[in-house]
């Protein structure tokens, strides 16, 4: 049985402009000791998806199930959820400077986290544990730095302190919400290496939220690609990188800069993510898709098995054999487009082809 199994999670927020459908029927699971990468552009629903599990989506209208160790997180009372949050499921947020209180010492904040869940631990014991944790995550001179304030730490050190706090109670699951976004490349690599090392030492499950497929390549076992609040593709890391099926996943991969192509132009995905107040009919990606067909405009694709392994699933109407970047896969895609594209879809494809960033990437 999976450590966490989320089924048909839906989250929406009523606003003055309409109802924002932030998460639209997402299902996924993660086992103990595994790392799941959740990727997608800003606004795809990644953060809302995971924060909802911990009751951090105030005002949201929520449905679905999230089974964690036999308990439905979405059905728990606030007091019951507080006992799990931090102790069994920890979160590392994107901006450690706003997550750490500026008026309290770093060590005190870690110790307070420990004592809030275990009243039997004295202040002295909790402080010693905080010093041990700071040393464990690579903070130099932890016995002295434990008394520093957040502003006295560098960005990388603050993120290390947040990781120490997340690990303080040996949680079963850690959710890391873009923990390296505000860091430079060198520090980002150090933080990723630290997360992998600690995750392997403790056997903790880790959910890594990011928009950077390079991070996923370094750290994840499995990948969930999200677009417009829905799962576009789910697969192992190998299948995502070498046998991608969904055009959105393919577009994300093609937009990654490569050192071997330093003189060539990047190949971005045309257009912008849709409004989640009024998402497009049919497949939400169709206004930006180079393989758009008539069916995409009216029907919403379901996640179905593709390729040879049933664990690889994609929400796209392209043939299930059209995976990866081989000539045979591209031929299958083009054949499907030629058979399934007529006037309405052709008009959209031509509009994409005429956009400045398309670089003739559309089958028009």
């Amino acid at each position: 049985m999976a450590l966490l199994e989320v089924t048909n999670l839906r989250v929406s927020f009523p606003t003055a402009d309409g109802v924002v459908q932030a998460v639209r029927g997402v299902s996924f699971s993660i086992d103990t000791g595994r790392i799941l990468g959740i990727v997608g552009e800003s606004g795809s629903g990644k953060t809302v998806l995971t924060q909802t599990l911990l009751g951090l989506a105030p005002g949201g209208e929520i449905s679905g199930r999230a089974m964690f160790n036999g308990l439905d997180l979405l059905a728990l009372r606030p007091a019951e959820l507080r006992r799990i949050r931090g102790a069994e499921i920890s979160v590392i947020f994107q901006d450690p400077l706003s997550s750490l209180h500026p008026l309290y010492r770093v060590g005190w904040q870690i110790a307070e986290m420990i004592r809030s869940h275990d009243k039997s631990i004295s202040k002295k014991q909790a402080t010693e544990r905080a010093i041990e944790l700071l040393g464990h995550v690579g903070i130099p001179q932890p016995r002295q730095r434990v008394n520093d304030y957040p502003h006295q730490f560098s960005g990388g050190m603050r993120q290390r302190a947040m990781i120490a706090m997340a690990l303080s109670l040996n949680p079963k699951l850690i959710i890391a919400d873009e923990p390296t976004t505000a860091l430079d490349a060198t520090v980002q690599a150090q933080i990723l290496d630290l997360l992998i090392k600690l995750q392997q030492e403790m056997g903790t499950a880790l959910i890594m939220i990011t928009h950077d497929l390079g991070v996923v390549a370094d750290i994840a076992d499995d990948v969930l690609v999200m677009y417009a609040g829905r799962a576009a593709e789910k697969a192992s890391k190998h299948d995502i990188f070498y046998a991608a099926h969904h055009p959105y996943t393919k577009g994300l991969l093609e937009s990654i800069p490569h050192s071997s192509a330093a003189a060539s132009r990047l190949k971005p995905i045309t257009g912008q993510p849709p409004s989640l107040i009024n998402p497009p009919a049919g497949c939400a990606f169709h206004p930006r898709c180079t393989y758009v067909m008539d069916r995409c405009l009216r029907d919403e694709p379901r996640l179905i098995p593709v390729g040879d392994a049933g664990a690889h699933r994609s929400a796209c109407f392209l043939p299930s054999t059209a995976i990866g970047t081989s000539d045979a896969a591209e031929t299958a895609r083009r054949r499907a487009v030629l058979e399934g594209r007529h006037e309405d879809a052709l008009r959209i494809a031509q509009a994409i082809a005429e956009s400045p960033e398309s670089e003739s990437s559309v089958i028009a």
Side-chain angles (χ1 to χ4, degrees), residues 68-69 83-90 170-174:
F68 176 78
N69 265 3
R83 286 195 287 270
I84 292 176
R85 191 169 53 221
E88 296 188 57
I89 304 177
S90 288
N170 299 317
K172 296 181 176 68
L173 172 65
I174 295 174

Side-chain angles (χ1 to χ4, degrees), residues 250-264:
K250 185 171 176 286
L252 291 176
L253 292 169
E254 290 174 346
S255 65
I256 299 176
H258 294 280
S259 58
S260 60
S264 62

Side-chain angles (χ1 to χ4, degrees), residues 28-42:
F28 70 91
S29 63
I30 183 170
D31 295 323
T32 300
R34 301 285 288 180
I35 300 177
L36 172 67
I38 301 180
V39 299
E41 295 167 286
S42 296

Side-chain angles (χ1 to χ4, degrees), residues 64-84:
R65 287 201 317 164
M67 301 303 296
F68 176 78
N69 265 3
L71 297 173
D72 186 354
L73 297 174
L74 305 181
L76 295 179
R77 296 191 296 270
E80 295 171 324
L81 200 52
R82 274 195 298 272
R83 286 195 287 270
I84 292 176

